[in-house]
Amino acid sequence: MKSIPSLLAATVLTAALAAPAMAQTVRMGTEGAYPPYNFVNDAGEVDGFERELGDMLCQIAGLECAWVTNEWDSIIPNLVSGNYDVIIAGMSITDERDEVIDFTQPYFPPDPSAYAALAGAGEDVLAGVVAAQANTIQAAHVASSGATLVEFASPDETVAAVRNGEVDAVIADKAYLVPIVEQSGGELEFVGEDVVLGDGIGVGLRESDGELKQKLDAAITQLKEDGTLNTLIRKWFGDEAQTF
Amino acid sequence: MRGRRRAPPPFPMFASCTDPSTLSGFPWLACYLTTGKHLAFYFSFLVVLALLVLAAPAALAMGLGAALARRSRIGPLRWVAGLYTSMVRGVPDVIFFLFVPIALDQAIEWTRHKLLCPDVTEPIRRGNDFVVCAQAKLPLSSADAWVHDVYGFLLALIAYALVFGAFAANVLDGALKAVPKGQLEAAQAIGMSPGQVLRRVHVPQMWLYALPGLSNLWQILIKATPLLFLLGIEDVVYWARELGGAKTQIFAYPHPDWRAWYFGGLMLFYLLLTWISQRGYERMMTRLARGQKVAGA
């Protein structure tokens, strides 16, 4: 019985030692649960705006890239401990996060966040019990708004909590909620005003990874200048989406 | 630890599944249940079974080793075994499951860094970052996704073996003490060496007393397998949550919240597994009791 794990370990070791100094692969960490930013499609592959953008950035910067999914909750710890090299997961640039990791320039403008609730619930829900994904700018916003915050590990659970009456409303990036509200057959609706939070979405990197940051920054600049980035944003977020 | 994507199986499986939006009823369901994502879900059941099949003997070996070491005449051996069992049994499992793979992973990479990149002068710990040279990474960044998967699985397996080994050590220790002294004395009397007594009489007779405790441990091990999810391994819980969540039309197969169905399925799977185990335990008990004088067997 012991021979199977040791055989596997040997395989891993040989694979690891056989190719010491080949081209570095940049491992791209994403959540895979936040359409249209990033999600795992029915074939089991990472898909969405950030998949397409990330592949473009890698191509421009001449990098070999591989995609990795990771729970949102541990996405920063696992970046700094070196399990992957960048976070490209709809992560807004905030001062708090900037203390722990670095960000490239934004590849997505500050996007409004919106509240959704069961149809006919009225604006009172904004001061009631509000669901948000843990460790997001929306969760921080609810906490400071005076409403009761209930945090969930995944975006999907925040919406499910509204549907089953566990909370009064959910707050998330509007781009995430729009298809959910539109396709709910009138069950859900937006309530209250949109709020603009954060300084836009950037690629997260380890603070010690200055070289990679420069490469990605240059690639983002190029995509901004030639208009490709705006085309990509409109493709995934519709014509009304904010662009650069 | 982390979740990693393995290369997706060919998709779609049937030619008729190329445009699911035109389908309904059974054909839709058949296509839905054979998407690449679902195949990964089915595969994850094998991952759970593989963990059980590998972790159980590994834990048993650890446990037997520790139980025998605790009875050893060599002091340090006794102390190490005692420290190991009381420490693991005294710390919540979840903490060990989270600690062991991370600590092990960093220890391995740290050692490899020192061995493979002696010229790098920058420290490994830079502020928040844990940075080892590219050659020291395990697995290498350039390794295939499956290598990363296997590596993560092995780290988890070690954590399971460590935790359950400590509990098994206690069970086996008790069982070793339960063997009637007369049996050992009789073995000695016919001229067996201490090693022979241990191998031919003590350990073989001990299993009968160990089995109820080990069977308990096995059931707990089965029920602890969803902790794989905590370690970022794409196990049955990960996929049930991922597949069960409501899907908008950005997905090929939109559907409402189906988590209850998926988790219900998992419940059946685990019930079946523990039921089969119980059957197996009863049969083993009858077999082991043959020829030994015990009450009720």
Side-chain angles (χ1 to χ4, degrees):
Chain A
M1 274 310 167
K2 266 190 155 173
S3 68
I4 296 171
S6 57
L7 194 76
L8 288 174
T11 321
V12 175
L13 276 175
T14 355
L17 294 171
M22 54 191 296
Q24 267 238 180
T25 306
V26 175
R27 289 167 56 79
M28 317 272 280
T30 192
E31 184 191 13
Y34 207 49
Y37 296 90
N38 59 75
F39 59 98
V40 178
N41 65 20
D42 292 278
E45 291 165 323
V46 176
D47 201 341
F49 165 69
E50 281 162 338
R51 168 72 202 251
E52 208 172 324
L53 173 70
D55 286 346
M56 275 183 188
L57 294 177
C58 291
Q59 203 190 351
I60 293 170
L63 301 166
E64 190 86 25
C65 290
W67 287 87
V68 181
T69 54
N70 193 96
E71 290 284 299
W72 177 259
D73 258 351
S74 57
I75 206 162
I76 290 181
N78 282 341
L79 172 76
V80 296
S81 68
N83 290 347
Y84 36 82
D85 305 301
V86 305
I87 296 174
I88 174 161
M91 185 178 276
S92 295
I93 304 167
T94 65
D95 293 340
E96 240 181 353
R97 290 177 182 144
D98 216 359
E99 279 173 22
V100 186
I101 58 173
D102 263 354
F103 284 100
T104 61
Q105 58 171 310
Y107 59 77
F108 197 81
D111 184 41
S113 296
Y115 288 92
L118 291 177
E123 293 222 3
D124 293 347
V125 295
L126 303 188
V129 182
V130 179
Q133 191 178 12
N135 300 319
T136 57
I137 46 174
Q138 288 86 9
H141 175 74
V142 175
S144 64
S145 76
T148 308
L149 169 68
V150 179
E151 291 182 303
F152 290 89
S154 70
D156 173 61
E157 287 165 308
T158 61
V159 178
V162 176
R163 287 203 159 108
N164 63 30
E166 202 178 335
V167 297
D168 301 325
V170 52
I171 181 169
D173 281 307
K174 194 165 188 181
Y176 171 71
L177 289 176
V178 163
I180 293 174
V181 171
E182 277 176 359
Q183 293 166 33
S184 71
E187 187 192 4
L188 300 173
E189 66 182 18
F190 285 109
V191 278
E193 299 280 310
D194 295 351
V195 276
V196 177
L197 304 169
D199 303 321
I201 295 171
V203 180
L205 306 112
R206 280 184 294 273
E207 291 189 322
S208 53
D209 239 350
E211 198 186 329
L212 184 59
K213 184 183 161 177
Q214 273 180 7
K215 280 186 192 166
L216 292 176
D217 260 332
I220 294 172
T221 306
Q222 188 183 327
L223 287 182
K224 276 182 178 170
E225 278 169 0
D226 67 12
T228 319
L229 184 55
N230 286 343
T231 317
L232 201 59
I233 291 175
R234 280 193 211 99
K235 174 186 166 188
W236 285 97
F237 296 91
D239 289 329
E240 316 84 67
Q242 299 220 34
T243 51
F244 287 101
Chain B
M1 296 305 304
R2 60 243 99 175
R4 288 174 189 113
R5 203 130 307 288
R6 90 187 46 82
F11 172 81
M13 190 166 238
F14 307 118
S16 61
C17 296
T18 35
D19 187 7
S21 57
T22 60
L23 300 172
S24 65
F26 181 73
W28 185 91
L29 194 66
C31 288
Y32 173 68
L33 291 176
T34 50
T35 59
K37 230 171 171 175
H38 273 88
L39 297 184
F41 177 49
Y42 307 142
F43 179 80
S44 68
F45 284 92
L46 296 181
V47 173
V48 170
L49 293 177
L51 179 85
L52 284 172
V53 165
L54 295 174
L60 205 56
M62 290 276 309
L64 192 59
L68 292 176
R70 257 184 9 194
R71 305 167 62 86
S72 159
R73 254 171 275 157
I74 307 158
L77 213 56
R78 263 198 327 267
W79 302 330
V80 170
L83 185 75
Y84 160 60
T85 48
S86 45
M87 198 170 98
V88 174
R89 281 156 33 89
V91 175
D93 294 356
V94 177
I95 292 177
F96 253 89
F97 283 119
L98 291 177
F99 170 77
V100 172
I102 292 173
L104 212 58
D105 183 43
Q106 296 205 346
I108 295 172
E109 290 195 341
W110 188 87
T111 316
R112 279 169 57 89
H113 179 87
K114 292 288 172 200
L115 291 175
L116 297 175
C117 309
D119 309 328
V120 179
T121 50
E122 289 138 314
I124 293 178
R125 293 213 169 271
R126 295 177 218 167
N128 300 304
D129 303 352
F130 181 86
V131 189
V132 294
C133 64
Q135 298 96 296
K137 288 241 171 203
L138 194 68
L140 289 184
S141 301
S142 53
D144 285 342
W146 71 266
V147 179
H148 288 272
D149 284 340
V150 170
Y151 179 70
F153 179 82
L154 284 179
L155 289 180
L157 182 62
I158 292 171
Y160 275 90
L162 269 178
V163 169
F164 282 86
F167 287 96
N170 242 33
V171 172
L172 296 176
D173 188 46
L176 285 170
K177 284 178 185 149
V179 175
K181 218 170 177 192
Q183 296 280 343
L184 308 181
E185 282 164 359
Q188 266 174 341
I190 60 167
M192 286 194 192
S193 70
Q196 284 174 325
V197 175
L198 187 72
R199 281 194 310 276
R200 295 191 185 167
V201 180
H202 204 170
V203 171
Q205 294 202 6
M206 164 278 289
W207 290 115
L208 178 65
Y209 304 102
L211 210 54
L214 291 181
S215 136
N216 252 352
L217 270 188
W218 168 256
Q219 303 276 34
I220 297 172
L221 175 65
I222 292 178
K223 297 198 294 174
T225 48
L227 286 173
L228 280 175
F229 172 69
L230 273 186
L231 302 177
I233 289 170
E234 291 170 356
D235 74 333
V236 288
V237 183
Y238 170 87
W239 284 114
R241 195 177 75 158
E242 171 65 35
L243 288 163
K247 297 282 178 292
T248 59
Q249 281 157 19
I250 202 166
F251 294 90
Y253 299 87
H255 61 73
D257 188 350
W258 281 355
R259 284 178 303 171
W261 290 103
Y262 282 91
F263 283 112
L266 288 195
M267 221 162 71
L268 286 180
F269 167 69
Y270 277 106
L271 272 177
L272 189 71
L273 213 54
T274 46
W275 182 76
I276 293 172
S277 306
Q278 192 57 31
R279 278 289 112 89
Y281 163 70
E282 279 156 16
R283 290 183 65 165
M284 230 150 50
M285 209 55 196
T286 335
R287 260 186 88 146
L288 280 176
R290 227 175 268 163
Q292 280 199 54
K293 280 170 93 177
V294 284

